[in-house]
């Protein structure tokens, strides 16, 4: 479904490419210095949460943060397979 305009603007202003694909998977992969850490971390945020105003402020959504190399690697592999698909396009 659509990404809320405010969320899309934040991602784009941060230089993050947003792709659209026909899937209901919801996760964000982070590889970098996160939350003030000196070391590069690999995190997965996943759950029922959509990138929308309703999900942020109205709905009762589930969102978890996982920091485990093998889990990050599995999600990254899934992401690479999905974005290699010819139907995966940059979000309009």
């Amino acid at each position: 479904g659509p990404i809320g305009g405010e969320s899309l603007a934040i991602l784009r202003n941060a230089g993050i490419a947003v792709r659209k694909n026909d899937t209901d998977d919801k996760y964000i992969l982070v590889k970098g210095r996160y939350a003030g850490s000196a070391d590069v971390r690999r995190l997965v945020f996943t759950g029922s949460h959509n990138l929308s105003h309703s999900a942020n402020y109205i709905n009762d959504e589930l969102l978890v943060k996982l920091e485990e190399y093998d889990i990050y690697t599995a999600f990254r592999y899934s992401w690479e397979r999905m974005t290699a698909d010819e139907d995966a396009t940059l979000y309009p």
Side-chain angles (χ1 to χ4, degrees):
I3 297 174
E6 182 180 338
S7 297
L8 185 59
I10 290 168
L11 293 169
R12 285 189 171 152
N13 288 337
I16 298 170
V18 180
R19 290 180 174 77
K20 181 177 182 178
N21 198 336
D22 188 23
T23 183
D24 195 40
D25 293 353
K26 299 171 188 151
Y27 58 89
I28 297 171
L29 299 173
V30 176
K31 180 182 176 187
R33 291 175 180 85
Y34 175 79
S37 68
D39 297 327
V40 171
R41 297 168 65 184
R42 289 171 178 81
L43 302 127
V44 178
F45 293 86
T46 188
S48 63
H49 204 285
N50 291 310
L51 296 177
S52 67
H53 178 83
S54 295
N56 285 338
Y57 302 105
I58 299 169
N59 301 347
D60 186 14
E61 301 285 353
L62 171 70
L63 181 68
V64 295
K65 176 179 75 172
L66 306 166
E67 187 170 5
E68 170 64 43
Y69 182 82
D70 291 341
I71 292 172
Y72 176 89
T73 301
F75 273 90
R76 179 64 190 254
Y77 176 72
S78 174
W79 168 254
E80 288 172 358
R81 282 190 12 235
M82 279 191 298
T83 57
D85 185 324
E86 64 187 32
D87 293 329
T89 59
L90 286 176
Y91 199 81

